[in-house]
Amino acid sequence: MKVLSKKKRDYYDVLGVSKDSDIKTIKKAFRKLARKYHPDMKPDDPNAEEKFKEAAEAFEVLSDKDKRVTYDRFGHAGLSGTQFRDFSGMGFEDLFSGFGIFGDLFSAFGGGSRARTSWPRAQRGQDVRLNLELSFEEAMRGLKKKIRVPNWAQCPTCHGARVKQGESMKNCKTCQGTGEIRHIQRSAFGQIVNISTCPQCHGEGKSVPRGAECEVCGGLGKVKQFRSVSAEIPAGVDDGMRVVIQGEGRPGELGGPPGDLFIVLSVEPHPFFRRNGADILLEYPIGFIDAILGTKVEVPTIDGKETIIIKPGTESGKIITLRNKGAPYPNSSHKGDMHIGIVVKFPSKLTKSSKKLLKELEKTIDKKYVFEDSEELVKSLSSSK
Ligand SMILES: [Zn+2]
Ligand SMILES: [Zn+2]
């Protein structure tokens, strides 16, 4: 592995100032460099951040009387053993928060009178979540659907100005129009400036005077619109599943990518079919005569009717499984199974003649079907007394 050790450049050269420059000149030079090498200004230049840090380090030394004297006498070596702050591992945000020396400079970068706590960065748009209700059949078959996705757009009447024509925004009273609240702390490390966004105007510095709100957007400057997104819901989806459509969320800011659209599905229950994942369950009632004698019946499945054989002597609770007749696994060619749970039904009322026939029938049947080895059981119960 090759380790490159870079020789540190002279701090005056880094800032491009002469050795007898005053503090004003040094500050000015640093501001210029900081603007120049800001990552948003130079997004394609991988060296920009390095250069920025180099400038920040030079500035920290040359703007501090004691450090500058030491540096002038001994060069970089003179500072190596001191409480020198190493900028190399810091991000830009670190450099600009919490340090008094940089706090003073904030106003220089904001592009106006307003200071900022951090640089604007490209941001990914937010995800959008929507609910979609499907019938059981739609969930089985899948569907293509146009979905209305809410979207905020600039107000067509005030064009984002938020106020009626002839009216204007006023400076926020809470922050006096600066958009932020500053708390200055003195500590052993110098002056620390904590800056927070004004809770009243959310950093804008301005607010809409009462009664001056644009009538169309109510002073928001934006209106809710809907755009249509085609969604493809695959066959076999189940209640609670989500379909993600990438890039259909909110737009990103400052060139960031858009968020995603999450469609949360709720599937209506079916009156007869139940689901257990991709398996479909169906309770199927048959008459007791059919259960005794056996028969063929047609049962509904999600793909149409299927004939199943009820064997003679089928009891309630018997499960008959039809392989691959369940729900499709979403985005797959595989299917679950269909399980048919047999429920044997008996008539609750019998006519006299039916009763008579059943009595006759009973005489013809070997009772062992009720309790096999019943004598054995009775014996074992009495012997255990
Ligand atoms: Zn408006
Ligand atoms: Zn404010």
Side-chain angles (χ1 to χ4, degrees), residues 155 157-159 162 214 216-218 221:
C155 172
T157 303
C158 65
H159 303 286
R162 300 167 55 186
C214 163
V216 170
C217 62

Side-chain angles (χ1 to χ4, degrees), residues 7-267:
K7 195 171 179 287
K8 274 191 181 181
R9 284 170 72 202
D10 177 73
Y11 287 146
Y12 292 100
D13 290 347
V14 169
L15 295 182
V17 294
S18 63
K19 290 214 193 263
D20 56 1
S21 301
D22 60 8
I23 184 69
K24 262 191 175 174
T25 312
I26 287 165
K27 274 189 182 181
K28 212 173 136 187
F30 174 58
R31 283 174 192 176
K32 214 173 133 189
L33 288 171
R35 268 204 208 98
K36 189 175 169 187
Y37 293 121
H38 180 261
D40 285 353
M41 305 289 182
K42 292 249 164 159
D44 305 322
D45 185 356
N47 296 320
E49 188 169 346
E50 257 340 287
K51 288 212 167 126
F52 179 89
K53 284 174 179 169
E54 190 183 37
E57 187 181 309
F59 175 72
E60 201 206 8
V61 172
L62 299 187
S63 64
D64 180 301
K65 253 186 213 163
D66 295 339
K67 284 181 186 166
R68 186 172 172 184
V69 168
T70 309
Y71 178 72
D72 286 345
R73 290 182 65 186
F74 305 108
H76 289 297
L79 294 162
S80 60
T82 67
Q83 297 166 315
F84 182 71
R85 194 181 287 139
D86 178 20
F87 287 93
S88 62
M90 283 187 179
F92 283 93
E93 250 106 280
D94 300 328
L95 286 168
F96 279 88
S97 62
F99 300 120
I101 51 162
F102 293 111
D104 290 350
L105 291 167
F106 288 159
S107 56
F109 304 131
S113 60
R114 190 136 67 83
R116 355 184 38 123
T117 47
S118 63
W119 297 102
R121 291 275 183 118
Q123 270 191 334
R124 184 178 174 276
Q126 282 183 322
D127 293 332
V128 172
R129 205 184 127 111
L130 285 178
N131 292 318
L132 179 65
E133 285 190 10
L134 300 176
S135 68
F136 185 87
E137 288 79 11
E138 284 175 322
M140 285 298 128
R141 285 193 305 267
L143 79 163
K144 280 182 186 165
K145 200 169 171 114
K146 296 266 186 210
I147 293 190
R148 271 156 57 88
V149 182
N151 209 23
W152 288 96
Q154 196 186 61
C155 172
T157 303
C158 65
H159 303 286
R162 300 167 55 186
V163 287
K164 282 186 224 172
Q165 217 167 11
E167 300 277 2
S168 57
M169 304 275 284
K170 296 273 185 300
N171 273 356
C172 170
K173 279 178 190 153
T174 307
C175 61
Q176 269 89 41
T178 60
E180 63 193 24
I181 310 292
R182 284 175 164 243
H183 309 273
I184 296 170
Q185 272 184 304
R186 301 206 170 270
S187 76
F189 305 105
Q191 183 177 289
I192 294 174
V193 185
N194 285 312
I195 302 173
S196 58
T197 304
C198 171
Q200 191 65 39
C201 62
H202 306 289
E204 209 183 341
K206 294 194 181 298
S207 59
V208 182
R210 197 164 288 211
E213 296 92 350
C214 163
E215 278 136 342
V216 170
C217 62
L220 291 170
K222 54 189 182 176
V223 287
K224 209 176 196 182
Q225 290 185 333
F226 289 91
R227 72 200 155 84
S228 181
V229 172
S230 336
E232 204 169 330
I233 312 297
V237 290
D238 204 351
D239 196 54
M241 281 184 177
R242 303 188 304 179
V243 173
V244 187
I245 304 180
Q246 281 179 344
E248 291 291 357
R250 299 251 150 77
E253 276 174 40
L254 299 167
D260 297 334
L261 174 63
F262 286 81
I263 302 170
V264 184
L265 306 174
S266 54
V267 179

